[in-house]
Amino acid sequence: RLGTGAMELHAMHLKSIGALCARTLSYESCEFELVEGVSDDKVRRLYNRASEIWTDLHAQLVDQCRKLNRRQEMEVEIDRWRALSGKGGEEDEELGEEMRHHMDLHCDSDSESEEEEDVKILEERRLRRMYRKRKSKFLRGLFWSAHQRFFRSLCIASKVDKAISMAKTAVDDGHCCVIGLQSTGEARAKGAALASGYNENDGGVFDEFVSAPNEDLKRIILMMFPLPPKPKGVIAPAFLAPVNGKDERPSSTDDDISASPEDARGQRRSRRYKNPKSKRRKLSCGKSARARRRVPWDEISLDLDVTKSVENERLVNYRKAAEKVKKYLDAVDELELPPNPLDRLLNELGGPDKVAELTGRKIRQIQRCDESKGRMVVSYEKRRGIGRFDQINIEEKENFQSGRKVVAILSEAASTGISLQADRRVGNQRRRVHITLELPWSADKAIQQLGRTHRANQRSGPMYKFLISDVGGEKRFATAVAKRLALLGALTQGDRRATGQSSALGLGGFDMDNKFGKKALSTMLTSIWDCSSSTLTDAPESHAVEVLKLIDSHLGAVIEEGEDWRDNLAPYDCDKKSEQTFYSMMESLLLGSCSQLAENRVEAIKQGKSVAKYFVYLEDGTETKETIKPKIDEELNAAKEAGLNFNVMCFIWLFDVGVTHQSTSSGKNRVPLSVPKFLNRCLGMNLSRQKLMTDHFLKHLEKEVSLAKRAGEYDHGIKTVSGHSVVVDKPRSFCFRGLEEKDERCLLYKINVDRGMNSDTALELYNEAKGLEGDAGDNPTATSTGRWLCDGQREGISSGFYIDRRHDIFKEVPRIFLIINQGRTSRKCVVIRPNEGKKTYSKDWVLGKLINGAAQLSLCTDVPQAIETWQKEFVLADRPSSEEYQRYCHGRHEERFLFGGSIIPILNKILVSANLDGLNVAKKDTTMPSIVRVEPSGKSQQSHAKTNGGNSKEGEYLANTSVMLSFNGNDIPGTPTVGQNVAHEMLGSNILRGIITKCGNQRGSYVTQFTDGCNIVMNTTEVIKAKELFEEEFRKLVVKAKVPRADALSIGMTSAVNSADQGATHIPILAEGENHNTDEYERLFEEEYDEEVPKVLVGLEFPKRFLHWYSEIASGHIQIPFWKFVLRKLAEKLREEGAMTSRELLNLKKAEQYKGKNHTVVVCG
């Protein structure tokens, strides 16, 4: 019920009792940096053009799947007819006319000769047949997998320039660099090289690097649009080069596509329609195809009468199909897609002579100068080393560790078993700069790769730099790692931060694939399909005009068809499947939730106010920008009033990437759209739409998380209590387990937190924020108001001090804020107040509620004045948080209570006592407890009094300690003298007592004699430590074991380190015979606490609220804090169950000691 935080707490408990051992190296010496926004304008333009091609391909995907389905249905009918007729396919003349036409049209001309053909030609034919006969569901899967792989490659390629720059800077600064990748791209790059003429035996030389994304995109084009069987006598297109790298030979009967054999591995050749007499079969035109002369494919006449013969139809279809493929392939070549990232990194950082490559690939592209040609060329070469191939990575590791190479490139294949840290035993002890270019899919692989440069015995910890591009969909790759890193730390280390997820790696904000992300996605899609008028994102003007132009263009075409425009919105049967799908989408949109918008636009179009027409006028020069813009703005405002909003825009954008209402709804054979799949689809949008779409999803996610926090359903994990100061008082100790576990104690801590922030700390944060803005070159102006820019992004919020100057409300001092913008790619701002400290809010909230809201905060450019105001309010807030020093401003001191100690064994009883399900509270109120961590920054007054022997019982024992430890009234405090007691820890954890017998002739030399007869010479430091150890042992024996002071001072006593603990007696808080208050059942189980407060506390904290408790003293209900309610309810239930009280346990222990005659705690010599 407590989520991952309970896992962490349970793991900590198991580690404390020795039941769990999971160790990892601390990341304290490491530095982490999340480098965001690494893409440039060239990459953005390339990405947007590529997204247009993929959108067009997706529109064609429906038609291609329909054709495949229609062909498969016809073949099934033919097989069924043959089975019923019992002919077995020998007499095709008896088939129906439609079936015969289908067989003649799709007759495979490659089936004529198979016995004496070359093996490669046979393989190529098999691949082509496989493409033509592939089932539509497989084609869809191949399309979307290639879609994700392509855009992931672009994301990685967009970060190469930044990685190269950072690597060179690191080397210039005296460091060495390790660049981490997951995939090498060897398979795709090799496929592209094969298509370009590479031969595994002879190698290959090219003018430029081969691009793996280029190969991915071309491959899916050839799969989507397989050419029909080539008619006899036609020369196949030159761009369909076979695998062996040569153009088609004139005598070959090859027909269309070439591809790598790896895609057809495991497939069997189909012989369903093989006819041994097909060589001599005549087509319906009456002529043999062999008699025709051979003509190039692009010289086939499109004016042939396809109704005269099947051969003419095959010729025309072949040319049209080839032209379609060539059009797409030419568009891909025009993109100039980037080369393989690994090859670019290797060559631009110095080549294989200066860069150590630790990967699993066998061949690579090397760029060298060809003196004969006088230019740089790229050659494919095999990786070679001194020894065997499987030893190359070991050789490269030695080159890097010895310092011969200062740059190393690491892939997943070399992410285990290789040490690249700044080891003290190797020659290269430069500090490592580890640049992560590509995040892995799983947390364990991420930790494995990070661990290559961060290991034991290193001289310095590495600097980790994670590159995140501007691509909004790349969050999809980071979210998987962020989620798994948190769980890995929680389950193994008892701390989700142990793997560096939140505070170090900076990936906490990418964790979207959880139950809140799923709910946010469902809510967002529901509002989009309903075109809800309530939206969390405003419609950017440029994108709104684009959508309005599309709607007007579609409605204009429908109106021109005459009759009722509503009826014309429906698709026609003669339309292509892609057209029918688009018309159906527009029909559901315009006749459904956007009917008012459709009527508004139809009326405007009839009046000549079509936005699509306005753009036509602008293109042909009829109108100018100055004259057309007011008209477009007028129509845009009218459309917004009629229902055009961001949800309508998303409705159309999601359709372009294959996300529709039907595809996202759950059904018999469908599952709801998942968050990773949604982010995968977003990769296909242009960058501007993609950022808007992902930001819109993140807003819904933030809303769901906020609602969950208010309802107490959000899993915070272990939260750290922080502030200007955190002081922990001496806890109350309870023994709730009785005889079951007499030595386990549940502790109740009172924590005093000063949650404010002084002016010095605020100034440091301000200077740091301004320094980061300067480094990033992103310093928004002071007049930033959060309005929309043309690309749909909001202006940034300037980091700085803001003042609320409403003097009628804030009469003591103006309310001051420090707002820190966390960067372009983050949707959060840090808001700091002198009385409340740091809190995090969304940028929209800061703009809407603070800067542009009722507060109307103004940026204070006078920093000294801001600091003076800050300190004044900080002083005014020096009061409890329940008090106000002016309107809306509460004090900075608050008290918190924490259940700690051994609470895991009784955790279920604590939750039952809290009665979380039975509380009659509003849903928005928080009721679930949370797991918190406390690191005290100072000692409480009680702890201070305890140390100095105040009014506590321990203080009474220690009041005269200094006198009893001194045998010479002339002793100077802190200066060792003869006669003072000392102690020395021996092997086996035994502590021997002794006395200073002589001060040596040399200054600072002392002779000590111990009870075992040994004389030891000590210096001043050693003697002072020995005195402190004696005092510590004295306190344990007197306070815990209740040993008489005279015996505790005896130097003839031999003590074990843990003897006091083993013989310690827990003293009940209630004296013998004292009756407890009937309202305070917990005092029955309470005992005195005489130990030190731990440096770090982790425990259970209940929310700040009050509950009703029936008081027998007051004879009525009173309100008590939630923590006190739980404590009393737990004690009441335990008493009812017969659990032994602290006094009963003590009496039982005394009886056992008396009976066994073993009540002596220590043995005196």
Side-chain angles (χ1 to χ4, degrees), residues 101-335:
H101 179 267
H102 174 84
M103 293 184 62
D104 290 341
L105 188 62
H106 297 89
C107 179
D108 194 344
S109 58
D110 286 341
S111 62
E112 294 177 306
S113 176
E114 296 177 354
E115 296 179 357
E116 298 179 359
E117 294 285 359
D118 184 83
V119 176
K120 288 187 176 180
I121 296 177
L122 293 176
E123 178 65 18
E124 293 162 14
R125 291 177 182 169
R126 187 182 66 80
L127 288 173
R128 288 190 292 275
R129 295 191 185 101
M130 181 188 69
Y131 289 158
R132 288 194 291 263
K133 298 179 181 180
R134 174 173 279 133
K135 293 183 178 181
S136 60
K137 63 178 182 180
F138 296 144
L139 180 60
R140 290 180 185 273
L142 290 170
F143 177 87
W144 289 117
S145 62
H147 179 275
Q148 177 181 340
R149 188 168 55 249
F150 175 87
F151 285 107
R152 182 178 174 87
S153 300
L154 278 191
C155 291
I156 299 170
S158 67
K159 297 180 279 189
V160 172
D161 290 331
K162 184 67 174 180
I164 293 173
S165 173
M166 294 172 65
K168 291 181 177 179
T169 302
V171 174
D172 293 340
D173 292 342
H175 306 309
C176 60
C177 185
V178 176
I179 301 176
L181 290 164
Q182 288 302 304
S183 56
T184 61
E186 180 185 16
R188 296 300 172 189
K190 185 178 179 181
L194 288 171
S196 302
Y198 166 73
N199 186 287
E200 293 188 10
N201 297 322
D202 302 332
V205 178
F206 310 97
D207 294 332
E208 56 187 11
F209 288 106
V210 175
S211 172
N214 184 293
E215 170 68 7
D216 268 329
L217 187 48
K218 285 186 175 180
R219 183 184 297 270
I220 197 63
I221 290 172
L222 296 175
M223 289 182 180
M224 280 187 60
F225 309 109
L227 297 187
K230 181 176 68 65
K232 296 286 183 69
V234 175
I235 300 176
F239 56 80
L240 298 177
V243 175
N244 58 15
K246 300 178 182 180
D247 289 336
E248 182 190 15
R249 295 169 294 180
S251 60
S252 173
T253 57
D254 208 8
D255 65 356
D256 52 9
I257 299 173
S258 65
S260 173
E262 63 187 8
D263 285 335
R265 190 176 293 120
Q267 299 287 339
R268 290 187 176 182
R269 181 175 180 178
S270 174
R271 298 174 178 265
R272 176 181 298 177
Y273 296 120
K274 179 181 175 182
N275 189 346
K277 300 179 181 180
S278 59
K279 286 186 179 181
R280 303 183 181 277
R281 188 196 309 175
K282 305 292 184 178
L283 297 179
S284 57
C285 62
K287 293 184 178 181
S288 173
R290 193 181 296 274
R292 286 186 173 275
R293 71 177 184 87
R294 294 176 59 78
V295 295
W297 69 273
D298 53 351
E299 294 182 8
I300 298 176
S301 175
L302 296 177
D303 296 331
L304 293 176
D305 188 358
V306 297
T307 61
K308 287 185 60 178
S309 66
V310 175
E311 183 183 13
N312 288 351
E313 187 175 357
R314 290 181 59 165
L315 288 169
V316 173
N317 290 346
Y318 189 81
R319 176 172 176 177
K320 288 182 178 180
E323 287 179 342
K324 189 173 188 177
V325 173
K326 186 176 185 303
K327 181 191 73 170
Y328 280 113
L329 296 181
D330 291 342
V332 173
D333 290 333
E334 292 175 0
L335 287 177

Side-chain angles (χ1 to χ4, degrees), residues 239-480:
F239 56 80
L240 298 177
V243 175
N244 58 15
K246 300 178 182 180
D247 289 336
E248 182 190 15
R249 295 169 294 180
S251 60
S252 173
T253 57
D254 208 8
D255 65 356
D256 52 9
I257 299 173
S258 65
S260 173
E262 63 187 8
D263 285 335
R265 190 176 293 120
Q267 299 287 339
R268 290 187 176 182
R269 181 175 180 178
S270 174
R271 298 174 178 265
R272 176 181 298 177
Y273 296 120
K274 179 181 175 182
N275 189 346
K277 300 179 181 180
S278 59
K279 286 186 179 181
R280 303 183 181 277
R281 188 196 309 175
K282 305 292 184 178
L283 297 179
S284 57
C285 62
K287 293 184 178 181
S288 173
R290 193 181 296 274
R292 286 186 173 275
R293 71 177 184 87
R294 294 176 59 78
V295 295
W297 69 273
D298 53 351
E299 294 182 8
I300 298 176
S301 175
L302 296 177
D303 296 331
L304 293 176
D305 188 358
V306 297
T307 61
K308 287 185 60 178
S309 66
V310 175
E311 183 183 13
N312 288 351
E313 187 175 357
R314 290 181 59 165
L315 288 169
V316 173
N317 290 346
Y318 189 81
R319 176 172 176 177
K320 288 182 178 180
E323 287 179 342
K324 189 173 188 177
V325 173
K326 186 176 185 303
K327 181 191 73 170
Y328 280 113
L329 296 181
D330 291 342
V332 173
D333 290 333
E334 292 175 0
L335 287 177
E336 298 181 358
L337 292 167
N340 188 18
L342 178 55
D343 292 312
R344 272 201 65 195
L345 290 168
L346 178 67
N347 287 275
E348 295 192 28
L349 289 176
D353 296 333
K354 296 183 178 180
V355 179
E357 179 185 342
L358 294 94
T359 65
R361 67 175 181 171
K362 298 181 179 179
I363 59 172
R364 58 189 177 188
Q365 304 178 62
I366 305 298
Q367 190 176 43
R368 291 189 174 90
C369 180
D370 189 340
E371 296 181 356
S372 62
K373 298 181 180 179
R375 57 186 174 85
M376 301 296 291
V377 296
V378 177
S379 61
Y380 254 90
E381 299 179 1
K382 292 185 177 181
R383 292 180 64 200
R384 292 183 176 88
I386 300 176
R388 304 190 312 271
F389 174 78
D390 57 357
Q391 296 295 317
I392 293 179
N393 284 344
I394 303 298
E395 295 176 16
E396 291 285 57
K397 185 203 77 169
E398 295 300 329
N399 291 334
F400 180 77
Q401 291 294 79
S402 63
R404 290 189 290 271
K405 298 180 180 181
V406 293
V407 178
I409 302 177
L410 192 67
S411 74
E412 182 184 357
S415 292
T416 55
I418 291 181
S419 300
L420 301 178
Q421 82 276 18
D423 199 317
R424 299 177 185 271
R425 299 165 295 182
V426 300
N428 183 9
Q429 295 188 9
R430 297 184 180 189
R431 189 174 188 184
R432 273 49 171 167
V433 177
H434 193 138
I435 301 173
T436 299
L437 200 66
E438 179 184 5
L439 287 169
W441 291 100
S442 60
D444 54 345
K445 290 183 180 179
I447 298 302
Q448 281 290 342
Q449 191 173 99
L450 296 181
R452 299 311 96 203
T453 54
H454 180 50
R455 306 181 75 80
N457 197 39
Q458 61 187 8
R459 180 170 292 275
S460 59
M463 293 185 289
Y464 292 111
K465 298 180 184 292
F466 298 87
L467 303 187
I468 302 295
S469 69
D470 290 336
V471 179
E474 193 180 12
K475 293 181 176 66
R476 183 265 177 275
F477 307 117
T479 181

